[in-house]
Amino acid sequence: MPLLSNLSVARRLVGAFGVVALLICAVAAVAAVSIRSLGGASSDLVESSIPALEQVATVDAAAERNVGLATRHLYVFDGDAATERAIAREAADNAATTTASLAGLGALELSPSARAALETATAANATVAASMSLALTRSLRETVTNAEDRSGSRSVFDTRIIPQQQALDTALAAFSSQIRDMAASTGSRAESASSRGMVLVAGGAAIALALAVALGLLITRSITRPLSSLRTAAERAGEGDLTVAVG
């Protein structure tokens, strides 16, 4: 109080407004941190889930395309070696695409369950690719040798490729589900960050308000007390008591 009493009213008010401004800046800083946290969580959501789901779609489309190519190779263009070779090259390119896409997914930040699902899908894809290569190689050999019996290649398609492709589809669906779960988890974290930010902002605003009120009361008292003393001294002086001290 003596320190405030020695300051002019203008300086007291300037000091009070300065403190309130600092408190407001502190609340704004807390809000900025909260927003930055929310933005980071949302960015993680976009950067991890969307590319992953796009690559899964690429793998699935390429794998399904290869099943169609195998059907054409074994049943539609059987006996046409040139066309079979062209189909085999396209199938090999598709297989390389699926392998590269799955390898790219492995570079993403994944949850343990998502990584396990990806490993299952990768293994299933390798199995399908191996069976596909075997079936097309046998089919071309049967064409070159003019074999009447083409069961060697077609049995691989019926007994291996079809069920293996179904297993790959299941594995890719499981991995996609894990990616969506990761996205949902990221969204929950973002919502949690937002909630924490709101609580911090509300708490900071309440503290700033309380301190501003307390500071206002302190400054008011520093002004009104001397005025009250002065009034009391004036009243006593008016009654003839000139010995009263002012201050």
Side-chain angles (χ1 to χ4, degrees):
M1 289 301 291
L3 178 61
L4 287 176
S5 299
N6 293 331
L7 295 175
S8 66
V9 174
R11 289 185 177 180
R12 297 176 198 178
L13 293 177
V14 169
F17 282 119
V19 171
V20 171
L22 288 175
L23 292 174
I24 292 174
C25 289
V27 172
V30 171
V33 170
S34 176
I35 293 172
R36 189 178 297 110
S37 175
L38 176 60
S42 299
S43 178
D44 290 343
L45 170 64
V46 173
E47 292 179 1
S48 64
S49 64
I50 294 180
L53 292 174
E54 289 177 347
Q55 285 184 274
V56 170
T58 298
V59 171
D60 195 29
E64 292 293 342
R65 171 67 175 164
N66 263 7
V67 173
L69 289 174
T71 302
R72 294 170 60 198
H73 192 292
L74 273 63
Y75 295 96
V76 178
F77 295 101
D78 54 318
D80 184 345
T83 302
E84 286 182 357
R85 289 189 178 94
I87 291 173
R89 286 193 296 270
E90 184 177 352
D93 290 341
N94 283 340
T97 297
T98 60
T99 300
S101 295
L102 289 171
L105 289 169
L108 297 177
E109 184 177 351
L110 301 173
S111 66
S113 55
R115 189 160 297 282
L118 176 59
E119 290 173 355
T120 300
T122 300
N125 178 70
T127 301
V128 171
S131 296
M132 187 73 65
S133 177
L134 176 62
L136 300 190
T137 298
R138 286 186 178 182
S139 179
L140 180 59
R141 185 184 303 120
E142 290 164 354
T143 295
V144 171
T145 59
N146 293 316
E148 292 292 333
D149 181 8
R150 304 188 69 92
S151 61
S153 59
R154 293 175 179 177
S155 63
V156 174
F157 181 82
D158 294 334
T159 63
R160 298 189 191 182
I161 294 176
I162 295 300
Q164 288 168 359
Q165 179 61 40
Q166 292 172 347
L168 175 59
D169 290 340
T170 300
L172 291 174
F175 178 67
S176 296
S177 177
Q178 291 295 328
I179 292 297
R180 285 190 289 270
D181 288 345
M182 285 177 56
S185 176
T186 303
S188 297
R189 291 197 303 272
E191 184 177 353
S192 177
S194 177
S195 298
R196 288 195 302 272
M198 292 298 294
V199 170
L200 289 174
V201 170
I207 293 173
L209 178 61
L211 291 176
V213 171
L215 186 59
L217 291 174
L218 185 62
I219 292 176
T220 300
R221 290 180 63 185
S222 73
I223 296 173
T224 57
R225 278 190 176 183
L227 291 177
S228 178
S229 298
L230 182 61
R231 184 180 63 183
T232 300
E235 290 176 351
R236 292 179 63 180
E239 294 172 356
D241 184 2
L242 300 180
T243 63
V244 62
V246 179

